[in-house]
Amino acid sequence: MTLLGDMEPAEAESVYFNEYPPPKSLPKHEALARAFIDLHVEDKRRVVLVTSGGTTVPLEAQTVRFIDNFSAGTRGATSAEYFLQQGYAVIFLHRQYSLLPYSRHYSHSTNCFLDFMDEASPSADSPNQNHGPIQVRSEYQDEMRDVLRKYRYAKQNNRLLLLPFTTVAEYMFELRAMAKLMRPLGPNALFYLAAAVSDFFIPRSRMAEHKIQSSELPANLDNSSAIGSQEIYTGENEVQPPKSQKKLVVNLDPVPKFLHRLVDGWAPDGSMVVSFKLETDPSLLVYKARTALQRYSHHLVIGNLLSTRKWEVVFITPDPPHERWIRVPKARRSKSISGVEDQVGLAEIQKGGQQQPQPQEVADYSDETRDGIEIESLIIPELVKLHDKMIEKKTQKE
């Protein structure tokens, strides 16, 4: 059997999208996006499609169980705010219930959002002396006012469109549709692919229709012994569901890498495509990012390590200098439970087995938070400069 990953991109696209029905919400999302894009084409405004959050991989057609990843959508939601500050309109294609621009400041806080509010004393002329007005606590007034004003401006001026997805198949349908709708934008279109897209999936044709059944494991089950074929349940459609406990062994196929199709088929001519590469091994990061750039022939790969992603990233580009590191100055780094300070710079040091000269840290303290500078406040302005150059080259050629 030929895997989708072994097919030509156009053939893999046809086979993959025929596996699933389009999401029920797709026509509504297309209508909203078309009106949004037409407005900004008329105003000659740049539009960025920001993808954000993780994708689920259902194990059953009527989904009870699914495979997921850790992504909460922090990178995407934060970046969207800084794109808006740079004058872009943003289509925010996000995992449902993941972080959203602006509300992330409170939904992702260590405090419950109710901790930011108080009930004031009722006024003397209040019709109900038992009910005082709800207000923001004094220590949060300035910060919340700033966030609220930015959010209201984006919404009132139609600069932000929120479109949700859940599964990896829904994400693919939405990405393809949005890219084609953005064609009238030409080089004013930017794709910022920050979503953590699943690498593997179960084709719909092999997926169990109903919930995969289970029962209590036998007390004498020896996990170290060889597993016979009669003790394995694949989760796929079977003539008879299992009557006794079996180990669940799921056979996943690789999700086709549709970045080829986005660059060479779906996206507007002259548009900019930016992807991300996340690794845990410092010795692999730059190599994997370079390989992705060469394989898909797009414009920028932003590489980051899981342990240092809040403090440093590397821009891998086809043009010189090819590799450029962006770091938050040490004194301004945000706190991170999962971060490992000792690994900052390690991916660069290990390149070629020799220590490299440290890049100049980009120091911009204009967008500080309670925990320090958000690295997205450094990433997005640098990315906009690259987009400026692309548009300038396109204009000169014409």
Side-chain angles (χ1 to χ4, degrees):
M1 180 180 67
T2 304
L3 294 176
L4 289 172
D6 297 329
M7 299 178 182
E8 291 298 317
E11 182 186 5
E13 176 186 353
S14 176
V15 172
Y16 181 86
F17 285 101
N18 285 332
E19 275 279 346
Y20 299 94
K24 293 180 181 179
S25 59
L26 187 60
K28 178 183 177 181
H29 289 180
E30 287 179 318
L32 290 171
R34 185 178 292 108
F36 185 85
I37 292 164
D38 288 347
L39 171 67
H40 297 298
V41 168
E42 184 176 348
D43 292 340
K44 296 182 171 57
R45 183 172 293 108
R46 297 181 191 180
V47 177
V48 56
L49 176 68
V50 176
T51 69
S52 183
T55 59
T56 67
V57 178
L59 300 185
E60 306 115 338
Q62 299 186 54
T63 308
V64 174
R65 299 178 178 87
F66 56 85
I67 301 171
D68 204 354
N69 61 45
F70 80 98
S71 176
T74 305
R75 179 80 82 204
T78 308
S79 297
E81 291 183 22
Y82 290 109
F83 273 119
L84 288 162
Q85 286 188 26
Q86 292 285 331
Y88 284 67
V90 176
I91 300 174
F92 191 67
L93 183 61
H94 64 284
R95 163 75 174 275
Q96 190 172 34
Y97 308 125
S98 65
L99 295 181
L100 297 176
Y102 303 114
S103 66
R104 71 181 176 92
H105 295 273
Y106 307 102
S107 61
H108 203 47
S109 170
T110 53
N111 297 330
C112 169
F113 80 97
L114 295 173
D115 291 332
F116 293 93
M117 296 182 287
D118 267 333
E119 182 178 6
S121 300
S123 61
D125 58 351
S126 175
N128 190 334
Q129 289 298 305
N130 292 321
H131 292 172
I134 302 299
Q135 63 184 26
V136 177
R137 293 176 62 179
S138 59
E139 62 264 40
Y140 301 119
Q141 287 274 346
D142 290 342
E143 182 181 352
M144 188 171 286
R145 183 185 298 110
D146 181 58
V147 173
L148 178 61
R149 285 176 176 174
K150 290 177 180 177
Y151 172 74
R152 298 302 298 172
Y153 179 85
K155 294 296 289 183
Q156 290 171 358
N157 290 277
N158 207 13
R159 300 289 179 87
L160 177 62
L161 178 63
L162 305 176
L163 301 177
F165 64 83
T166 301
T167 70
V168 64
E170 290 171 354
Y171 170 83
M172 293 299 182
F173 271 100
E174 295 276 359
L175 176 63
R176 182 175 68 166
M178 294 305 114
K180 291 181 177 181
L181 287 171
M182 290 172 70
R183 285 175 180 171
L185 289 160
N188 278 340
L190 172 60
F191 295 85
Y192 186 82
L193 308 178
V197 183
S198 304
D199 290 318
F200 302 95
F201 79 116
I202 299 177
R204 179 66 179 81
S205 56
R206 295 208 328 256
M207 194 180 295
E209 178 66 25
H210 298 287
K211 176 189 173 185
I212 298 171
Q213 298 300 309
S214 63
S215 59
E216 294 297 321
L217 284 168
N220 61 352
L221 183 64
D222 182 2
N223 289 327
S224 64
S225 62
I227 304 172
S229 61
Q230 297 304 310
E231 294 176 312
I232 296 176
Y233 178 43
T234 65
E236 300 175 11
N237 288 309
E238 294 186 355
V239 178
Q240 294 291 333
K243 297 180 180 179
S244 60
Q245 174 65 37
K246 295 184 178 183
K247 293 181 181 293
L248 177 62
V249 178
V250 180
N251 184 17
L252 302 173
D253 285 1
V255 174
K257 299 297 185 182
F258 285 127
L259 195 50
H260 264 309
R261 297 296 296 146
L262 177 65
V263 174
D264 294 330
W266 306 343
D269 181 40
S271 60
M272 184 176 187
V273 178
V274 179
S275 70
F276 281 78
K277 176 61 66 175
L278 176 72
E279 293 293 337
T280 59
D281 185 343
S283 66
L284 291 179
L285 178 62
V286 172
Y287 167 77
K288 295 293 288 288
R290 283 178 177 167
T291 300
L293 188 73
Q294 294 166 0
R295 180 175 296 161
Y296 303 114
S297 302
H298 54 306
H299 308 100
L300 171 65
V301 176
I302 301 179
N304 52 163
L305 283 178
L306 180 64
S307 58
T308 63
R309 67 191 186 281
K310 295 183 182 295
W311 306 319
E312 65 173 357
V313 299
V314 59
F315 277 22
I316 302 295
T317 58
D319 301 317
H322 302 297
E323 176 185 336
R324 182 189 172 201
W325 287 85
I326 295 177
R327 293 192 176 99
V328 175
K330 187 172 183 178
R332 297 292 181 171
R333 288 175 191 162
S334 60
K335 298 175 183 178
S336 174
I337 296 175
S338 61
V340 183
E341 286 260 11
D342 290 346
Q343 291 196 2
V344 172
L346 197 57
E348 187 181 20
I349 291 170
Q350 289 196 359
K351 183 184 65 176
Q354 296 181 350
Q355 184 164 349
Q356 304 297 315
Q358 292 295 304
Q360 182 179 358
E361 294 175 326
V362 181
D364 180 356
Y365 304 145
S366 61
D367 288 299
E368 297 183 30
T369 66
R370 287 190 300 270
D371 296 324
I373 295 176
E374 295 175 317
I375 193 170
E376 291 81 7
S377 70
L378 309 180
I379 293 173
I380 302 307
E382 296 304 311
L383 178 53
V384 170
K385 291 177 184 177
L386 294 177
H387 196 198
D388 289 341
K389 292 179 181 178
M390 279 192 61
I391 294 175
E392 184 180 352
K393 287 181 179 179
K394 180 75 173 176
T395 304
Q396 289 174 349
K397 286 182 180 180
E398 294 176 349

